[in-house]
């Protein structure tokens, strides 16, 4: 008698792509606003970006209910940190917390593919990229989600990241100006929307720099 | 569908017994909210968040409430419409649907919904969607109910049925070309 399999899965993939690019004194984080399931679009106006701290923003794609739970968890932990330390969490500190939080559920993972972007304690841009169980790395730029296979090679080509094996370690932060980086991100999403069915509708861009955080929107293909 | 609190209405499809259990949780929630007697009352957005947490936590225990929930309401003049699935996926939008409604009704609503729909036009639009669903969803029945939520409160109208047309010539004497056993 063959073993009966469960027909119900606790996971679903709600699609979407996220990108983050770090600069000398800014960081750009972007994600599309489409939420899908299977071949359906559930809504065209859902934000995947969450501000975790003053200079730290996370974009996540994957299973939306897990993403929401993860965002709430980190926001709560940040609040406790602020009560205990009387200051905001720095981006590298939040990066470590996110990694630990994800690994905590190693055997029933958060189906969430994250990029964390912000400014470190010196005001330099930093981007951290994650997998679903918390493995993370500080990089100059990254993309996650359904469109990442289309976006990442393009970013590699345009931003030419130095090899992580080099000694002394070279900085991966891009020399591009803020406006150029934003333009690059817009191009990259237009690119992904052409071929990835789960990416499209609208693009939400968050820019963090010394002046603070600002938000921009751009329309993408709706098909 | 069930109204709850002063501002909101919950509709569900799926397992009705699980829906009844959710109503039980909501009764308790609203009761505790009223017991504070502080002039504040839970609005649709807060209840939506609560229901999302309930559904998500049940799916975490691999024992989901087998429902798709639709939550609507008006509080302080602000209208709200949201949905939660059995695995905790939630969002708000100008129009939502469960089950086959996602396939058949959402496209119609995307085309024809606009910000300034009057109540009558809204009902006509929904009836258009329900018509399509009645003709094309084999598990649909011809009995529906409209609920209206405004800042004055919630009214649920009596159930009624839609006019349908089945006299399509192709359906007349379907066994004519190939007589079967029944």
């Amino acid at each position: 008698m063959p073993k009966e399999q469960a027909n119900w899965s606790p996971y679903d993939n709600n699609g979407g792509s996220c990108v983050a690019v770090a600069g000398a004194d800014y960081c750009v984080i972007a994600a599309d606003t489409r939420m899908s399931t299977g071949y359906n679009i559930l809504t065209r106006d859902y934000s995947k970006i969450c501000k975790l701290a003053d200079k730290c923003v996370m974009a996540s794609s994957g299973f939306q209910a897990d993403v929401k739970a993860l965002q709430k968890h980190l926001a709560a932990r940040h609040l406790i940190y602020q009560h205990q330390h009387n200051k905001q969490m720095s981006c590298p500190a939040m990066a470590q917390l996110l990694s630990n939080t994800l690994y905590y559920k190693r055997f029933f993972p958060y189906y969430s593919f994250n990029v964390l972007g912000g400014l470190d304690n010196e005001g330099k841009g930093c981007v951290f990229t994650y997998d679903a169980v918390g493995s993370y790395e500080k990089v100059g730029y990254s993309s996650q989600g359904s469109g990442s296979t289309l976006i990442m090679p393009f970013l590699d080509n345009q931003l030419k990241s130095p090899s992580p094996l080099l000694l002394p370690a070279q900085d991966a932060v891009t020399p591009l100006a803020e406006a150029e980086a934003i333009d690059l991100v817009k191009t990259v999403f237009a690119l992904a929307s052409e071929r990835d069915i789960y990416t499209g509708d609208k693009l939400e861009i968050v820019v963090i720099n010394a002046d603070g955080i600002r938000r921009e929107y751009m329309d993408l293909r709706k098909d | 569908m069930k109204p709850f609190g002063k501002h909101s209405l919950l509709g569900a499809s799926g397992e009705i017994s699980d829906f009844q259990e959710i109503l039980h949780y909501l009764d308790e929630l609203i009761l505790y909210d009223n017991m504070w007697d502080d002039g504040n009352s839970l609005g649709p957005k807060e209840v939506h968040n609560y229901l999302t947490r309930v559904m998500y936590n049940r799916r975490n225990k691999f024992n989901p409430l087998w429902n798709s929930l639709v939550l609507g309401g008006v509080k302080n003049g602000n209208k709200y419409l949201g949905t939660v699935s059995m695995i905790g996926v939630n969002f708000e939008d100008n129009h939502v649907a469960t089950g086959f409604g996602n396939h058949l009704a959402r496209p119609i609503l995307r085309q024809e919904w606009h910000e300034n729909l009057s109540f009558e036009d809204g009902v006509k639009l929904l009836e258009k969607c329900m018509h399509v669903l009645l003709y094309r969803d084999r598990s649909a029945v011809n009995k529906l109910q409209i609920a209206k939520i405004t800042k004055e409160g919630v009214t649920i109208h009596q159930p009624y049925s839609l006019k349908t047309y089945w006299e399509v010539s192709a359906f007349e004497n379907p066994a004519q070309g190939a007589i079967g056993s029944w």
Side-chain angles (χ1 to χ4, degrees):
Chain A
M1 190 73 133
K3 192 173 177 186
E4 204 181 273
Q5 293 287 345
N7 299 320
W8 175 80
S9 166
Y11 290 116
D12 189 17
N13 188 356
N14 300 119
S17 317
C18 325
V19 164
V21 176
D25 60 351
Y26 66 88
C27 188
V28 180
I29 301 100
D32 68 324
T33 62
R34 172 177 286 176
M35 195 204 289
S36 5
T37 172
Y39 283 117
N40 294 336
I41 295 178
L42 289 173
T43 183
R44 297 188 191 275
D45 199 4
Y46 187 83
S47 175
K48 297 186 185 61
I49 300 184
C50 176
K51 180 179 142 181
L52 295 175
D54 255 356
K55 302 276 174 173
C56 185
V57 162
M58 176 172 82
S60 322
S61 85
F63 175 43
Q64 183 273 333
D66 272 348
V67 165
K68 205 45 178 273
L70 183 63
Q71 287 172 350
K72 279 180 180 249
H73 185 114
L74 293 170
R77 288 296 297 270
H78 185 230
L79 195 59
I80 296 170
Y81 182 95
Q82 285 179 283
H83 287 148
Q84 291 175 339
H85 301 268
N86 197 21
K87 65 171 186 172
Q88 294 270 326
M89 258 175 113
S90 67
C91 199
M94 186 56 87
Q96 183 67 48
L97 178 63
L98 174 54
S99 171
N100 291 152
T101 308
L102 290 169
Y103 198 79
Y104 210 78
K105 293 240 302 158
R106 170 66 176 78
F107 300 110
F108 184 17
Y110 288 111
Y111 193 84
S112 166
F113 299 97
N114 315 296
V115 286
L116 193 76
L119 303 179
D120 62 18
N121 286 319
E122 285 121 41
K124 216 164 69 163
C126 58
V127 167
F128 297 89
T129 187
Y130 295 78
D131 73 355
V133 284
S135 157
Y136 83 113
E137 190 190 357
K138 179 164 185 284
V139 287
Y141 59 89
S142 180
S143 75
Q144 289 284 348
S146 57
S148 67
T149 46
L150 298 164
I151 296 172
M152 206 56 183
F154 183 79
L155 289 177
D156 284 334
N157 176 267
Q158 295 295 305
L159 298 174
K160 285 195 186 47
S161 160
S163 169
L165 302 168
L166 284 171
L167 269 178
Q170 265 189 40
D171 207 358
V173 147
T174 178
L176 281 179
E178 189 182 298
E180 290 174 315
I182 295 174
D183 219 41
L184 179 69
V185 164
K186 288 181 179 173
T187 308
V188 138
F189 270 90
L191 184 157
S193 308
E194 295 288 317
R195 292 287 181 176
D196 178 22
I197 59 173
Y198 298 110
T199 301
D201 289 331
K202 209 163 66 170
L203 171 63
E204 184 183 3
I205 308 175
V206 171
V207 184
I208 310 181
N209 52 26
D211 302 326
I213 299 189
R214 76 165 200 284
R215 211 166 281 246
E216 242 182 84
Y217 293 95
M218 184 184 93
D219 269 350
L220 295 171
R221 285 185 73 133
K222 301 199 180 318
D223 64 355
Chain B
M1 292 192 297
K2 265 271 147 74
F4 61 89
K6 291 196 225 58
H7 310 275
S8 337
L9 177 99
L10 176 66
S13 71
E15 178 60 54
I16 298 296
S17 61
D18 281 348
F19 178 48
Q20 288 170 336
E21 200 180 313
I22 291 172
L23 292 176
H24 186 76
Y25 290 150
L26 277 183
D27 281 339
E28 204 180 310
L29 185 75
I30 300 293
L31 178 71
Y32 279 112
D33 187 40
N34 290 338
M35 295 294 269
W36 283 108
D37 199 19
D38 56 2
N40 193 18
S41 54
L42 288 172
K45 199 173 173 116
E46 290 85 61
V47 180
H48 186 208
N49 190 49
Y50 172 78
L51 288 173
T52 307
R53 291 294 109 223
V54 167
M55 301 300 269
Y56 183 70
N57 281 311
R58 287 291 295 257
R59 87 105 203 178
N60 280 348
K61 294 188 238 177
F62 277 83
N63 180 208
L65 290 161
W66 208 275
N67 293 114
S68 295
L69 303 174
V70 168
L71 207 127
V74 177
K75 188 176 174 188
N76 296 335
N78 299 320
K79 53 186 191 294
Y80 185 87
L81 180 63
T83 180
V84 195
S85 80
M86 75 164 99
I87 44 173
V89 175
N90 77 306
F91 59 93
E92 55 165 304
D93 208 339
N94 297 317
H95 42 79
V96 295
T98 65
F100 262 92
N102 276 309
H103 297 97
L104 298 171
R106 288 303 289 288
I108 300 174
L109 291 166
R110 281 201 184 106
Q111 196 88 314
E112 304 196 12
W113 183 91
H114 59 88
E115 189 66 52
N116 305 313
L117 267 178
S118 68
F119 177 67
E120 291 72 29
D121 282 341
V123 172
K124 274 209 208 70
L125 185 55
L126 281 175
E127 281 182 354
K128 185 174 181 179
C129 296
M130 296 305 285
H131 253 111
V132 175
L133 286 163
L134 181 59
Y135 283 125
R136 292 295 179 179
D137 179 5
R138 65 115 180 97
S139 57
V141 290
N142 196 358
K143 184 176 179 187
L144 68 140
Q145 235 179 344
I146 300 274
K148 177 180 183 179
I149 312 140
T150 59
K151 59 181 187 307
E152 276 88 51
V154 182
T155 27
I156 304 187
H157 301 270
Q158 284 301 312
Y160 65 102
S161 55
L162 299 167
K163 277 204 186 54
T164 55
Y165 179 71
W166 298 101
E167 307 314 311
V168 183
S169 61
F171 290 164
E172 249 172 84
N173 199 7
Q176 190 173 29
I179 301 178
S181 55
W182 50 272

